[in-house]
Amino acid sequence: MEVREIAKPGIDSENDIIQFIADVQEHKRQISLAGYTEVHLFMSTPIAAGILVGGLLDNWKPIKVYHYTKETPPYTYWSVLIDT
């Protein structure tokens, strides 16, 4: 499984969130072109960024969402954003 990462030192301003969303849109475009049938989404972001990403990925393809914890393993599967 290929990993595509958007690594940011933080999302602290309007410019940061605008660039983050542009990065998500570009990854979505690349994933669509590659023909993948589902996405595994691992995020550790402010809630506003999570809401915006959810809106961008809604009604696209199955998005398996993982929740970050401070335990081992650090991410646990929670649900599917959309089930087609």
Side-chain angles (χ1 to χ4, degrees), residues 12-74:
D12 300 321
S13 69
E14 183 179 356
N15 288 336
D16 290 345
I17 196 74
I18 289 168
Q19 184 58 55
F20 175 70
I21 294 304
D23 292 345
V24 172
Q25 289 172 321
E26 177 58 20
H27 276 59
K28 181 179 176 181
R29 186 187 73 75
Q30 291 174 7
I31 290 166
S32 291
L33 290 173
Y36 294 111
T37 57
E38 68 181 26
V39 172
H40 295 258
L41 179 63
F42 299 81
M43 289 181 60
S44 177
T45 63
I47 192 165
I51 292 167
L52 293 168
V53 168
L56 287 171
L57 302 181
D58 189 32
N59 292 321
W60 177 42
K61 53 183 78 226
I63 309 293
K64 295 184 177 182
V65 179
Y66 294 79
H67 174 69
Y68 178 77
T69 67
K70 294 183 180 183
E71 300 171 9
T72 302

